[in-house]
Amino acid sequence: MYLFTSEVVSPGHPDKCADIIADTIVDILLKNDKNSRVASEVFVAGNKVVIGGEVKSKHKLSKADYDNLVKNVLKNIGYDGAGYFTKKQCLHPDEVEVLVFLNEQSPDINQGVDQESGEIGAGDQGIMFGFASDESAEFMPAAISYARMLCDKVYAYAKSHPNELGVDIKTQVTIDYGTKENFENCKPQSIHTIVVSAPCVESMKIEDLRALIRKLIDDTKLPKELFNADKTKILINPTGKYVNHSSLHDSGLTGRKLIVDSFGGYAPIGGGAQSSKDYTKVDRSGLYAARWLAKNIVAAKLAKKCIVQLSYAIGVAKPTSVSVDCMGTNTKVSDEVLSDFVMQNYALTPNWICKQFALDKPSKETFLYADVAARGQVGQKDYPWEKLDAVEDFRKLLG
C-alpha cells in the first residue's frame, strides 16, 4: 500500500469566497480598462468583508459599486439568504458590511512594469511551478481530479437544493498506488478513501444526510477501475451533523487555498497566490504558462509527468530561469534538451503570456477570473492555458 491524498473546497468555503470577490474586481476592471493594474486582497470574517490593496485603472468603482459587487458574488455562490439557514447559522448577503481600503499602485513598481518599448516587465520577483501528469484525462494528479469531481457534484446539488444543503463543502480523496514505484510512474491502483463534509439544514437527520451524499458519490461517475463502492472507505461528515457554516464560523482570506487551486500537493507551488492579481503579476501569468508547457510536454508523450519552473525579477520581462524536470519519466528526450527547447522557442515574458492566453480580455465567451477562482487555477479544459496547441512543437523533438 502506498497512499497519497488531495483536498478540494467548494466556492462556498470562506477562503474561496474571498478569492472570487477579489477576482470579480479584476474582471470588472480589466473589462473596462485592459491596462488596469490590480492587487486587491479580500478578508471575510463574520458578516464583514474587507477589501484592501492597490489598484490603478481608468475605470473607477465607488463604495456602492463594491457593496453591490460583494453581495451579488455571495448570492451567486449560494449565500442567497433564502431562509433555510438562520442568520446565526449562515452568512446572509443583506447582513454584510463592506469595508474598502484600496490605494494606487506604487509608481516605483509601475515604472518597471509598463515600459516605453511596449514590453511588460514582471510585476514582482518570484518562482512559479507548472505540473502535469498522465494519471487522468485532465493531465492532473488522480487525487485532486477525483476530489474536484466529487466537490462539483455535491456543490451543484447544494445550489439547487438550498432547503437541504449549504454550499460550504469540502471533499478529500486518497489514492492507493500499491507501491512507491507505481506512484513515481503515475499508476494509481484504487481510490482508497473518500471524505465529504457538507452542511445541512437543522431539520435533516445525519443518517439522511449521509445517505444523500453517498448517492451523490455513487452518481459522480468515478472511474470504475479505481472506485469500488464496497471496498472504498467513505467518511461523510465524520464528526456528525454540520449546520453552522460560512464566514460566520470560519474566516476567509485571499490566496489561502494554493494547494487546492493547483496540484493538490502532488507538485511544488510558487510563493504567491493567483487570485486578486492582474496578468502582469507573474504569480498568475507565470503559473499559467508553466502549466501549459508541462501539459503539452506530457501530452506529446515526452514524459509521464513534468514540472516546469519559471522565475522572474521585478521589472524584467524575460524569465531569469526556466527548467524542466520530468522526474525520471522521460521517454526519449532529456530534461536539459527540453529546458533549452522551451527557452529557445517561447519568450515567456508577461506580454507574450498575456497575448498567448488573452489574459487582458476576460469574458463570458473565453474565461472569467472569478470562475477560475471558483474552479481552480489549473486543470479545467476550457481555460486558454489548458489548450494542447503546442503538442506538435514538442513532438518534433522525438525525431
Side-chain angles (χ1 to χ4, degrees), residues 65-138:
D65 291 330
Y66 283 110
D67 288 345
N68 291 331
L69 180 155
V70 168
K71 293 177 182 182
N72 287 335
V73 166
L74 293 172
K75 288 177 183 177
N76 289 336
I77 287 170
Y79 292 112
D80 56 8
Y84 300 108
F85 293 90
T86 70
K87 292 182 179 181
K88 290 185 178 180
Q89 294 170 342
C90 168
L91 185 67
H92 285 232
D94 59 347
E95 296 285 301
V96 170
E97 180 184 357
V98 180
L99 307 172
V100 181
F101 303 98
L102 290 170
N103 303 305
E104 286 275 328
Q105 184 187 58
S106 167
D108 297 333
I109 295 175
N110 190 63
Q111 67 181 350
V113 175
D114 297 308
Q115 299 176 0
E116 291 183 4
S117 63
E119 188 54 85
I120 297 173
D124 202 351
Q125 69 177 57
I127 59 172
M128 303 86 223
F129 293 93
F131 178 76
S133 163
D134 68 2
E135 286 187 3
S136 70
E138 301 81 17

Side-chain angles (χ1 to χ4, degrees), residues 72-361:
N72 287 335
V73 166
L74 293 172
K75 288 177 183 177
N76 289 336
I77 287 170
Y79 292 112
D80 56 8
Y84 300 108
F85 293 90
T86 70
K87 292 182 179 181
K88 290 185 178 180
Q89 294 170 342
C90 168
L91 185 67
H92 285 232
D94 59 347
E95 296 285 301
V96 170
E97 180 184 357
V98 180
L99 307 172
V100 181
F101 303 98
L102 290 170
N103 303 305
E104 286 275 328
Q105 184 187 58
S106 167
D108 297 333
I109 295 175
N110 190 63
Q111 67 181 350
V113 175
D114 297 308
Q115 299 176 0
E116 291 183 4
S117 63
E119 188 54 85
I120 297 173
D124 202 351
Q125 69 177 57
I127 59 172
M128 303 86 223
F129 293 93
F131 178 76
S133 163
D134 68 2
E135 286 187 3
S136 70
E138 301 81 17
F139 291 92
M140 292 284 285
I144 192 167
S145 288
Y146 305 135
R148 278 185 179 173
M149 287 173 63
L150 289 166
C151 195
D152 290 347
K153 187 74 173 181
V154 179
Y155 175 64
Y157 186 91
K159 281 202 74 177
S160 60
H161 296 81
N163 58 317
E164 296 180 73
L165 300 183
V167 293
D168 186 356
I169 298 157
K170 289 185 178 182
T171 59
Q172 189 169 287
V173 169
T174 300
I175 297 292
D176 184 5
Y177 288 84
T179 65
K180 180 67 181 297
E181 183 180 2
N182 284 339
F183 174 76
E184 291 172 345
N185 287 285
C186 308
K187 295 179 179 178
Q189 302 297 299
S190 65
I191 296 175
H192 181 274
T193 303
I194 290 171
V195 183
V196 178
S197 294
C200 67
V201 295
E202 196 162 18
S203 59
M204 182 178 279
K205 295 179 180 178
I206 185 64
E207 296 82 9
D208 294 337
L209 170 72
R210 286 175 174 156
L212 169 61
I213 300 296
R214 180 58 194 260
K215 184 177 186 306
L216 292 173
I217 292 170
D218 291 340
D219 291 345
T220 300
K221 296 182 180 177
L222 295 168
K224 293 179 180 178
E225 66 274 17
L226 297 178
F227 176 60
N228 184 321
D230 296 324
K231 292 183 179 180
T232 297
K233 186 176 182 180
I234 298 176
L235 302 172
I236 300 168
N237 286 37
T239 62
K241 198 160 73 170
Y242 156 42
V243 176
N244 299 296
H245 64 286
S246 80
S247 60
L248 296 186
H249 304 280
D250 179 17
S251 62
L253 185 65
T254 313
R256 201 160 59 180
K257 286 292 177 280
L258 299 185
I259 299 295
V260 169
D261 272 344
S262 55
F263 308 104
Y266 197 104
I269 59 171
Q274 290 74 51
S275 287
S276 87
K277 298 170 183 175
D278 70 82
Y279 55 88
T280 67
K281 314 298 191 295
V282 282
D283 287 323
R284 166 158 256 157
S285 50
L287 168 68
Y288 298 164
R291 161 64 179 172
W292 176 75
L293 288 164
K295 184 176 181 181
N296 277 270
I297 287 169
V298 174
K301 299 189 181 302
L302 293 172
K304 295 184 70 62
K305 56 185 174 182
C306 177
I307 297 171
V308 174
Q309 189 206 47
L310 306 177
S311 69
Y312 292 85
I314 189 167
V316 178
K318 291 283 288 184
T320 53
S321 69
V322 177
S323 69
V324 177
D325 179 2
C326 295
M327 307 168 77
T329 67
N330 312 61
T331 56
K332 186 175 180 180
V333 183
S334 71
D335 292 338
E336 292 85 357
V337 170
L338 284 167
S339 299
D340 186 64
F341 182 83
V342 170
M343 284 188 284
Q344 296 300 322
N345 288 276
Y346 305 102
L348 298 173
T349 65
N351 194 36
W352 183 91
I353 300 169
C354 174
K355 290 179 179 178
Q356 181 75 16
F357 307 128
L359 298 184
D360 59 345
K361 299 179 182 67

